[in-house]
Amino acid sequence: MSDRYDIAIVGTGPAGLEAAINAKIRNKNIIVFGNKDLSPKLVKAAKVNNFLGFYNISGVDLKNQFANHIAAMGIGIINEKINNIYAMGEYFALMVNEKVYEAKTIILATGIEYTKPLKGEEEYLGKGVGYCATCDAPLYKGKTVVIIGYNKESIEETNYVNELSTKTYYIPMYRGEYNLNKGVEIINGRPLEIVGEDVVTKLILDKGEIITDGIFMLRDSVSPSQLVPGIEIEEGHIKVDRDMKTNIEGCYAAGDCTGKPYQYMKSAGEGLVAAASAVSYLDRSHENK
Ligand code: FAD
């Protein structure tokens, strides 16, 4: 069993990192999940003019400033995607494929997907549509699978699925190098609709269609209700109060995932508040013991 952390932070954009530095300042034992590029949205920004103290900075330079800041404070990032988080009463269980991490509190700073779900995606979720290829790959042993990949991390998951499936199609939704196994067929097209009967049967694209048993949508973030069963959602965002508290005891959220405006400073500010709230919650629980 892994150590039980005081605070697990999910997401390494401005919300998650601001939460991390404040939790660290408050001497909490933290674990931070995300990726080495910190935030795909940060890296994509050509120029940022509204981040206080960094006029006219590029997104990449701002990312490097963030990276230097957390490195100077000795904060590391676990380069793993959390698939599910379960509230277990006294603690939370964070699942990464076959691994489980435990934390007394969590801060969700997962950002938001700008892309809308595909037609049929929500209807067939769990009936052939999935968001975690490595978790569900064994279900598709000897079958046909389509992976719609929105980032380069989806490559590794696709190669893993390909080891089990009979046929794997990969539809890249971004430009880059696709370091895929030989058996994976790349399809260049725009997915339009997922069709099925009781379960998924095919994917319709702008040019043609693919008959398939399963479809994985591998985006940067999954919807919060998929990630944390039972979390309250309001108009597509995690419902929080002014302390960044969600409806689940010990669970806080910050950044784009809590609502508009989708901006760096708003995200960072909420990350700070979420960390402060998690720290008071931990201190209160400690006093009551
Ligand atoms: P994000 O920055 O989106 O970070 C979320 C992180 O969580 C990501 O690293 C993601 O991979 C990770 N994650 C998600 N789910 C999981 C999981 N299950 N397990 C582990 N990790 C996970 N805002 C401004 O204020 N000024 C600007 O000039 C500006 N320009 C922009 C330009 C572009 C092209 C874009 C796309 C956005 C721009 N924004 C700008 C908006 C800004 O990028 C967002 O508001 C901000 O990044 C949100 O921060 P966040 O921490 O909430 O989420």
Side-chain angles (χ1 to χ4, degrees):
M1 196 192 75
S2 55
D3 296 334
R4 189 170 293 174
Y5 295 90
D6 290 327
I7 307 176
I9 296 163
V10 186
T12 45
L17 296 181
E18 183 69 23
I21 62 174
N22 282 283
K24 177 92 181 185
I25 289 168
R26 299 291 299 273
N27 253 336
K28 296 300 171 197
N29 179 19
I30 62 169
I31 184 162
V32 186
F33 297 94
N35 62 74
K36 58 179 173 8
D37 283 339
L38 304 187
S39 155
K41 289 198 183 115
L42 196 51
V43 178
K44 277 181 201 153
K47 279 279 171 257
V48 180
N49 285 327
N50 64 344
F51 201 96
L52 188 63
F54 291 100
Y55 178 61
N56 208 25
I57 193 168
S58 72
V60 171
D61 287 344
L62 192 55
K63 182 211 88 171
N64 292 337
Q65 292 285 349
F66 288 179
N68 292 341
H69 191 154
I70 59 164
M73 289 183 69
I75 297 170
I77 292 173
I78 306 289
N79 198 1
E80 283 181 319
K81 194 164 180 186
I82 302 293
N83 302 318
N84 289 107
I85 301 175
Y86 298 106
M88 308 296 286
E90 290 236 310
Y91 70 97
F92 292 88
L94 296 97
M95 323 296 291
V96 181
N97 304 332
E98 73 290 352
K99 270 183 271 172
V100 184
Y101 294 88
E102 292 185 3
K104 294 176 201 161
T105 61
I106 50 168
I107 297 176
L108 303 170
T110 51
I112 194 128
E113 270 305 328
Y114 293 166
T115 52
K116 284 200 180 125
L118 269 190
K119 195 170 172 206
E121 178 180 330
E122 283 161 340
E123 188 183 344
Y124 289 103
L125 188 61
K127 298 174 190 166
V129 173
Y131 296 133
C132 176
T134 40
C135 318
D136 294 342
L139 301 175
Y140 295 97
K141 202 169 175 189
K143 296 189 173 174
T144 300
V145 181
V146 176
I147 312 243
I148 306 178
Y150 287 79
N151 50 39
K152 56 181 189 294
E153 285 78 33
S154 61
I155 295 283
E156 198 181 324
E157 291 199 58
T158 304
N159 286 338
Y160 176 63
V161 170
N162 179 242
E163 286 167 20
L164 299 170
S165 66
T166 309
K167 181 74 198 167
T168 316
Y169 296 98
Y170 182 73
I171 307 178
M173 303 300 286
Y174 64 102
R175 288 205 189 104
E177 299 250 315
Y178 314 124
N179 198 5
L180 291 159
N181 287 353
K182 273 201 186 110
V184 179
E185 185 174 337
I186 298 181
I187 304 286
N188 289 307
R190 198 159 57 87
L192 297 179
E193 186 179 352
I194 294 169
V195 178
E197 286 158 20
D198 292 338
V199 292
V200 165
T201 53
K202 66 181 170 187
L203 175 71
I204 300 179
L205 297 121
D206 53 350
K207 292 172 209 139
E209 59 183 44
I210 305 173
I211 305 293
T212 185
D213 300 300
I215 299 172
F216 288 108
M217 315 284 307
L218 304 184
R219 302 191 177 98
D220 291 329
S221 56
V222 295
S223 73
S225 48
Q226 284 293 314
L227 188 64
V228 190
I231 199 154
E232 200 175 335
I233 304 293
E234 196 173 56
E235 292 175 16
H237 299 102
I238 301 172
K239 191 175 174 191
V240 285
D241 65 11
R242 278 189 61 84
D243 295 327
M244 298 291 125
K245 195 168 167 288
T246 70
N247 64 312
I248 300 173
E249 191 77 0
C251 173
Y252 302 85
D256 282 3
C257 63
T258 69
K260 289 182 179 171
Y262 301 148
Q263 299 277 272
Y264 301 123
M265 286 297 247
K266 177 262 191 192
S267 297
E270 289 189 353
L272 179 149
V273 176
S277 300
V279 169
S280 337
Y281 173 83
L282 286 164
D283 292 349
R284 271 197 319 275
S285 324
H286 186 69
E287 277 163 21
N288 293 339
K289 279 197 177 147

